[in-house]
Amino acid sequence: MTDTSTRRELRPPSGAWLRIMALVYDPFVWMGELAGMRQRRRTLVSGARGSVLEIGAGTGLNVGHYPDGVVELVLAEPEPAMRRRLARRLRQHDRAARIVDASAERLPLPDQSVDTVVSTLVLCTVTDPECALREIARVLRPGGRFLFIEHVRAKSSRLARWQDYLFVAWRGFAGGCCCNRPIGDLIRGCGFDLVADDAVWRGMPRIVHPLIVGRATPDLL
């Protein structure tokens, strides 16, 4: 089977459930954070430099890991309840950043205006991932980098079938997450040069175990 999210119209999650998700997200992923995701976040964002944009910043689990070399930090998050928790986490870490109400598909930033874009577990939730990737390419300066951790469609045919089977139930529960998207293929298909490794999101349900972790640059040729 192919990515279910490409074969049906995706309705947005309900606003009420997204408000609940903002409250329960951190406890839900807590075990996964302890089992390795926190270290992956730290390693990933340590490579952020210059002017940085994070898409889908959520509750701000990356905020404490950004290095001092970041000149400017812009956090894009479309959900009001998530933005409130994000602002709280910035205060906890005494981190200066600008929070913007924006989806990854419509970034309110000029062309070639940032040096680094960060995405962790975001491209699974956007309605149009190709549009989001084109926006990332648009705002990156020449030589800029896209840093990402995303869960992906399983290479195991058995697990991929379970991802397809549980797609609707999981998406409804997980705030719009499409667990079976072939994110690596989408990044390459949108004209990025990609360097990435496979990983496992331990401490979480098996359908979101497969991860891709890496960096990409837009192919401007």
Side-chain angles (χ1 to χ4, degrees):
M1 296 177 71
T2 58
D3 174 8
T4 305
S5 66
T6 66
R7 295 185 286 107
R8 65 178 71 187
E9 182 179 353
L10 297 180
R11 296 180 181 178
S14 73
W17 184 243
L18 289 175
R19 288 192 293 272
I20 294 171
M21 282 293 297
L23 294 174
V24 304
Y25 183 80
D26 287 6
F28 179 67
V29 302
W30 176 76
M31 185 60 70
E33 292 293 310
L34 291 181
M37 183 59 78
R38 184 180 299 164
Q39 181 58 48
R40 285 194 188 93
R41 293 179 188 275
R42 183 179 295 114
T43 300
L44 185 82
V45 302
S46 69
R49 295 291 184 272
S51 178
V52 179
L53 165 68
E54 182 178 340
I55 62 170
T59 63
L61 290 174
N62 293 329
V63 163
H65 303 310
Y66 281 102
D68 294 337
V70 169
V71 174
E72 178 188 28
L73 180 60
V74 179
L75 304 173
E77 173 52 54
E79 297 302 327
M82 289 287 190
R83 289 198 302 274
R84 288 192 290 271
R85 295 184 68 82
L86 179 57
R88 187 181 310 163
R89 183 154 269 140
L90 285 172
R91 292 192 294 270
Q92 290 171 350
H93 287 276
D94 194 25
R95 163 71 70 172
R98 178 162 60 98
I99 300 174
V100 297
D101 174 5
S103 69
E105 295 101 325
R106 298 189 67 179
L107 298 172
L109 298 175
D111 295 357
Q112 299 185 358
S113 59
V114 299
D115 300 294
T116 310
V117 175
V118 174
S119 172
T120 56
L121 310 173
V122 175
L123 293 177
C124 60
T125 63
V126 297
T127 303
D128 188 340
E130 289 93 344
C131 178
L133 287 162
R134 288 193 295 270
E135 278 288 89
I136 291 168
R138 178 184 68 79
V139 301
L140 276 173
R141 292 184 176 123
R145 294 195 296 175
F146 173 39
L147 307 178
F148 56 87
I149 302 170
E150 300 287 348
H151 62 76
V152 295
R153 184 172 182 81
K155 293 181 178 178
S156 160
S157 59
R158 182 179 180 183
L159 184 52
R161 286 195 297 270
W162 276 107
Q163 289 176 321
D164 292 335
Y165 180 71
L166 295 172
F167 174 86
V168 174
W170 177 258
R171 185 172 185 273
F173 166 75
C177 170
C178 300
C179 61
N180 59 359
R181 277 185 175 161
I183 300 296
D185 293 341
L186 293 175
I187 295 173
R188 292 185 186 91
C190 287
F192 285 82
D193 292 326
L194 177 65
V195 177
D197 296 311
D198 295 332
V200 178
W201 193 6
R202 302 193 187 281
M204 295 295 290
R206 286 197 65 195
I207 61 170
V208 291
H209 272 190
L211 294 173
I212 185 171
V213 182
R215 65 184 185 274
T217 54
D219 184 355
L220 301 178
L221 298 179

